[in-house]
Amino acid sequence: MLLSILSWLLAVLLSLAVLGIASLVLATLWIAAKAERLVPPVGKFIEIDGNRIHYVDQGEGRPIVFLHGLGAQLHHFRHTLFGRLGPGYRLIALDRPGAGYSVRASGATGRLTEQAETVRRFIEELRLEKPLVVGHSLGGAIALTLAVEHPETISGIALLAPLTHMEADGREKFGSLYIPSRLWRWIMSYTVAIPTSLRYARPIMEFIFAPQVLPGDYMVAAGGWLGLRPAHFYAMSSDVVAIERDLGRIEGRYGEIAMPAGILFGDADRVTRFHTQGAPMRSRIQGLDFEVVEGMGHMPQFVAPERSIRFDDRSRHIGNGAVVGQHLFQPPQLALRQREFLGCRSEHHRKHQWR
């Protein structure tokens, strides 16, 4: 009798567990479908060594390639900068492998060297003549890796709040994104990760943007919804795990960089902290054009982009050392009012995009 009762209880518990897991999987797939409906692909696709790369290519002239950061996608540049740059430039932003609508090659790890090689091959396939590479956050680390390992491919690097150095608390800083097991990473991606990410998306993004205000149109116009998909989470976690395999070695070679290089860093950045990721770079690259902006956080391309871009379209050329720092990334005036930064979006609009 007791054995039958225990068997019945075990069956009930197993059924509840299966139902719970099934509900998480269904919720994940529903959120992912909504994300793809709200933010569909906008560019072209190209196969690069097993990676299916989604990218946008706009304009004609001197090429600039944009590399987004961790958990982001090409809209971080397309939405913020493309419409504000003048004629005379060919602007190319790509979803890094696994991010946005790009698909990472089977067996790929997300290592910095691997991603830099993919970017090199991408530049080669598009027949871009020594483009300037703009990298934000993790995209900055990939741009630095490209400059160290494939300097003949590019004309210069311009970095926004870049990841540049290993930190002792790196694993703890990334928290639940650091999942070494591929199997466990896959299980998390299709069960708990996406519903949990949706629940906490707003406070997380507010932290990343702080002390500036999260833009009201971030989730749709800037592609934020695309991060709420299992494949995107899996790739993001893979990137986090892979960072430590290469960054320490790459940072030891920064002194080899001889091309024009510029960095824009906010001293209020809570993600890539200025004193560990920004300040040490001043003495690492000869001739580095280094700009520190008081009170700015981690997302300079979103903070008054009209003020952060100073191109003289007719008389100046990207690739000269002075131009990389002084004209591509002119420090913005940071006496920003919330009304200016949000573009006069209504509170209703800001709340509606998260539903």
Side-chain angles (χ1 to χ4, degrees), residues 52-112:
R52 187 170 188 254
I53 303 298
H54 175 236
Y55 70 100
V56 290
D57 187 345
Q58 174 181 312
E60 297 180 357
R62 297 294 301 276
I64 310 176
V65 173
F66 296 85
L67 304 178
H68 63 78
L70 182 69
Q73 22 63 42
L74 59 80
H75 292 284
H76 273 213
F77 291 113
R78 178 179 178 266
H79 173 60
T80 57
L81 302 184
F82 274 30
R84 295 175 170 89
L85 287 162
Y89 302 104
R90 183 180 176 185
L91 310 175
I92 306 104
L94 63 147
D95 290 333
R96 290 189 295 101
Y101 282 100
S102 289
V103 178
R104 181 165 280 166
S106 176
T109 63
R111 292 180 61 170
L112 296 178

Side-chain angles (χ1 to χ4, degrees), residues 127-256:
R127 298 183 180 180
L128 304 177
E129 184 178 354
K130 294 180 74 70
L132 172 72
V133 174
V134 178
H136 172 242
S137 196
L138 177 59
I142 295 167
L144 285 164
T145 304
L146 192 64
V148 165
E149 300 220 324
H150 308 288
E152 73 288 347
T153 303
I154 60 179
S155 63
I157 53 175
L159 311 178
L160 297 166
L163 174 68
T164 61
H165 290 76
M166 288 295 299
E167 296 186 31
D169 63 345
R171 292 186 180 184
E172 293 77 12
K173 182 177 177 181
F174 287 116
S176 59
L177 282 174
Y178 189 89
I179 309 174
S181 167
R182 290 190 177 193
L183 175 60
W184 187 240
R185 195 184 306 158
W186 184 87
I187 291 171
M188 292 291 289
S189 298
Y190 282 90
T191 55
V192 177
I194 302 308
T196 303
S197 296
L198 178 60
R199 181 176 181 179
Y200 294 105
R202 186 172 189 122
I204 289 172
M205 294 313 304
E206 287 175 342
F207 173 84
I208 291 172
F209 271 85
Q212 279 71 56
V213 181
L214 175 67
D217 59 356
Y218 177 79
M219 289 300 287
V220 177
W225 271 102
L226 292 179
L228 297 172
R229 297 176 303 147
H232 195 108
F233 179 87
Y234 184 93
M236 182 165 54
S237 177
S238 299
D239 287 346
V240 166
V241 172
I243 287 170
E244 64 187 20
R245 298 181 64 182
D246 294 303
L247 186 55
R249 179 180 61 83
I250 295 299
E251 69 182 66
R253 298 180 60 192
Y254 290 159
E256 300 174 22

Side-chain angles (χ1 to χ4, degrees), residues 155-157 259-262 287-289 317-327:
S155 63
I157 53 175
M259 65 185 64
L288 176 69
D289 192 330
H317 299 279
I318 293 177
N320 296 323
V323 177
V324 169
Q326 296 172 15
H327 296 278

